[in-house]
Amino acid sequence: MTVHHLNQLLLVSALVLLVAVAAVRISSRSGLPSLLLYLGIGIAMGQDGIGNVSFSNAELTQVIGYAALVVILAEGGLGTKWKEIRPALPAAAALSLAGVAVSVGVTAAGAHYLVGLEWRQALIIGAVVSSTDAAAVFSVLRKVPLPSRITGVLEAESGFNDAPVVILVVAFSAAGPVEHWYHLIGEIALELTIGAAIGLAVGWLGSYGLRHVALPASGLYPIAVMAIATVAYAAGAIAHGSGFLAVYLASMVMGNAKLPHWPATRGFAEGLGWIAQIGMFVLLGLLVTPHELADDIVPALLIGLVLTVIARPLEVVISLAPFRMPWREQALMSWAGLRGAVPIILATIPMVTGVAGSRRIFNIVFVLVVVYTLVQGPTLPWLARKLRLGEGSGAADLGIESAPLERLRGHLLSVSVPQGSRMHGVEVGELRLPKGAAVTLVVRDGTSFVPAPTTVLRTSDELLVVATDPVRDAAEARLRAVAHGGKLAGWLGTGGDPTTR
């Protein structure tokens, strides 16, 4: 490749990225998952579009898709709040295991009897479309916040069910029939156990190291976090476990460990997640050949109808029966089973392994994901309101960034007061921080000053809090308690210890 060709490639890549970023704005206003817009960009660049780019390398698409999924799962894990997901773990595990089995069986039966696919092809499609995508769900629910128990179940399910689905798709796509189904169940259990153990171990070790080693530059912390998440995936895969589960759990552990420079790390991960989604969806759009989709539209609609109307509701009802969830919540979770990038990427596995009819499988999955995302996405907020499940989200979480002062045995906490925080109107002295912690600087409207105990805090203030090592966690806990409960936090049961000062 010459320098001239490299310059052209960089120019085209930058233009595609700018268009994709603009598509984010369009999707946020329209309520449509950005998946559809990115796929549209790829299709427009493809051989049936204005770009006339011919691309058919399914193996390269699969490799890049897996790499993108690692980044997306890492970003999702970093943003998962343990306090919200912990009560939802049993229900999410049931949906990710028993629920996936129900979904695969019912969808495969529909593909076989209604569309006439061979059982192997039907089972592959049933497994491929059984993976849900939290990014697609929450991208259309930004304006209709849900109760934490619902978001916790949906988020955990999307992080957990990728692992068993990948195992099933690989098994169904392997040469020869799948013998002794109980061996397959044992393999899934073993891979999930290995992946979970490695993910938790890597996440804990990474969190411990990042909290006790002061890196020379703050910009290294986000890179280190993503590198640790990637190590978790690689270690899990090498140990013949579930790398996807490992990276999600490792990221979740780090995301709840109060790491230094956390807001910067979170923003960096979100940016990488967007880039991964954009690149992956554009590439998937390039891989599809639109003029080949016509014959597979009706089969895709029929299979999608079985999946959406029968398989998903049955999966939710059976899996959540022991948890006695209200029918309204089950109804919303049944409709919220959006399929995103994962099914389309998994549909490349039979193409790489040479399964008969694999191109048709890919086309059916592609049409199914696009059509039913287009139908379900915009109607999710409406359904949430009709079921009276939309809740006010309250104040945004208090943004606290921590930087260790290794030689001074202390920490600098940079605190942002968000809109709606109950810290607004509280005097600095009323924060009642523990001994060893103090607000040393306030930045308001671009002006910084040293506050007095009677200084009243306002929305959008930036606070610099210095805390010694022993009280660092207590200081952050107190700040968060005041942000959610106001100056009386601790006496009103909103957390924080009123006697710490």
Side-chain angles (χ1 to χ4, degrees):
M1 177 183 293
T2 65
V3 174
H4 178 67
H5 289 155
L6 177 61
N7 292 337
Q8 289 181 326
L9 178 61
L10 290 174
L11 176 60
V12 172
S13 301
L15 289 175
V16 171
L17 188 59
L18 287 173
V19 172
V21 170
V24 175
R25 180 63 175 171
I26 296 174
S27 66
S28 65
R29 288 194 170 190
S30 64
L32 294 176
S34 53
L35 148 71
L36 301 179
L37 298 174
Y38 301 150
L39 286 176
I41 293 173
I43 293 174
M45 294 173 57
Q47 55 184 323
D48 285 352
I50 58 177
N52 198 28
V53 176
S54 180
F55 179 79
S56 59
N57 194 331
E59 186 172 3
L60 176 61
T61 303
Q62 180 183 333
V63 171
I64 295 178
Y66 271 38
L69 282 178
V70 170
V71 175
I72 294 171
L73 284 172
E75 189 270 331
L78 290 172
T80 299
K81 296 181 180 179
W82 173 246
K83 64 180 181 181
E84 293 183 0
I85 202 175
R86 180 175 56 186
L89 285 180
L95 279 172
S96 302
L97 297 174
V100 164
V102 172
S103 178
V104 171
V106 174
T107 306
H112 176 71
Y113 291 111
L114 294 180
V115 180
L117 295 179
E118 298 178 357
W119 271 114
R120 186 183 186 188
Q121 297 174 344
L123 286 171
I124 291 175
I125 288 182
V128 163
V129 299
S130 293
S131 180
T132 58
D133 188 348
V137 173
F138 295 120
S139 68
V140 299
L141 286 176
R142 286 185 298 268
K143 298 181 180 179
V144 188
L146 297 175
S148 59
R149 59 182 175 273
I150 297 181
T151 59
V153 171
L154 291 174
E155 191 169 354
E157 178 199 10
S158 66
F160 293 163
N161 65 12
D162 290 343
V165 165
V166 170
I167 296 171
L168 288 175
V169 175
V170 171
F172 294 148
S173 300
V178 178
E179 298 180 356
H180 306 301
W181 59 269
Y182 49 87
H183 287 171
L184 186 58
I185 295 179
E187 180 183 352
I188 292 175
L190 179 61
E191 290 197 19
L192 292 178
T193 301
I194 294 174
I198 290 177
L200 293 174
V202 171
W204 184 85
L205 290 173
S207 301
Y208 182 85
L210 289 173
R211 293 194 64 187
H212 290 82
V213 176
L215 298 178
S218 60
L220 293 176
Y221 284 91
I223 298 175
V225 168
M226 297 306 296
I228 292 170
T230 305
V231 167
Y233 170 80
I238 292 174
H240 300 288
S242 172
F244 291 119
L245 182 59
V247 68
Y248 182 77
L249 290 179
S251 302
M252 185 173 66
V253 170
M254 291 189 291
N256 289 271
K258 301 175 183 176
L259 298 180
H261 303 289
W262 175 243
T265 299
R266 187 76 183 95
F268 180 79
E270 287 181 353
L272 281 185
W274 277 112
I275 293 176
Q277 289 190 60
I278 291 170
M280 179 174 54
F281 291 141
V282 170
L283 195 62
L284 290 171
L286 282 173
L287 185 63
V288 72
T289 306
H291 71 262
E292 296 179 355
L293 300 177
D295 295 336
D296 297 316
I297 292 178
V298 173
L301 294 178
L302 290 175
I303 296 173
L305 193 63
V306 172
L307 172 67
T308 306
V309 178
I310 302 176
R312 176 65 181 180
L314 195 61
E315 167 190 356
V316 170
V317 170
I318 293 176
S319 301
L320 301 183
F323 305 99
R324 298 183 179 181
M325 296 188 70
W327 71 266
R328 291 183 299 146
E329 297 182 4
Q330 294 190 41
L332 185 65
M333 284 192 282
S334 298
W335 193 246
L338 291 181
R339 272 66 190 172
V342 178
I344 304 177
I345 292 173
L346 295 183
T348 64
I349 294 178
M351 296 174 67
V352 174
T353 56
V355 174
S358 59
R359 187 72 197 189
R360 189 185 185 198
I361 293 175
F362 179 85
N363 290 341
I364 289 176
V365 171
F366 187 91
V367 174
L368 186 155
V369 169
V370 171
V371 171
Y372 283 91
T373 300
L374 187 62
V375 171
Q376 291 175 272
T379 57
L380 266 176
W382 173 84
L383 181 62
R385 289 191 294 268
K386 286 295 182 181
L387 294 174
R388 298 189 301 277
L389 290 175
E391 288 185 346
S393 59
D397 192 26
L398 189 68
I400 299 181
E401 181 172 353
S402 174
L405 302 173
E406 191 171 33
R407 293 183 179 179
L408 301 179
R409 300 183 181 276
H411 288 263
L412 286 177
L413 303 180
S414 176
V415 183
S416 301
V417 182
Q419 186 73 31
S421 173
R422 297 195 66 181
M423 191 177 287
H424 174 82
V426 175
E427 294 182 2
V428 170
E430 293 172 331
L431 293 176
R432 301 193 313 282
L433 296 176
K435 293 181 179 180
V439 180
T440 59
L441 196 70
V442 174
V443 180
R444 179 178 298 164
D445 298 329
T447 302
S448 58
F449 60 92
V450 176
T454 56
T455 298
V456 178
L457 301 178
R458 303 297 182 193
T459 298
S460 301
D461 279 355
E462 298 281 342
L463 281 61
L464 187 63
V465 179
V466 178
T468 59
D469 275 344
V471 301
R472 182 248 183 252
D473 290 343
E476 179 172 344
R478 179 60 192 166
L479 289 167
R480 293 190 184 279
V482 175
H484 288 283
K487 66 179 71 177
L488 297 181
W491 283 298
L492 299 180
T494 50
D497 183 0
T499 65
T500 55
R501 194 71 182 177

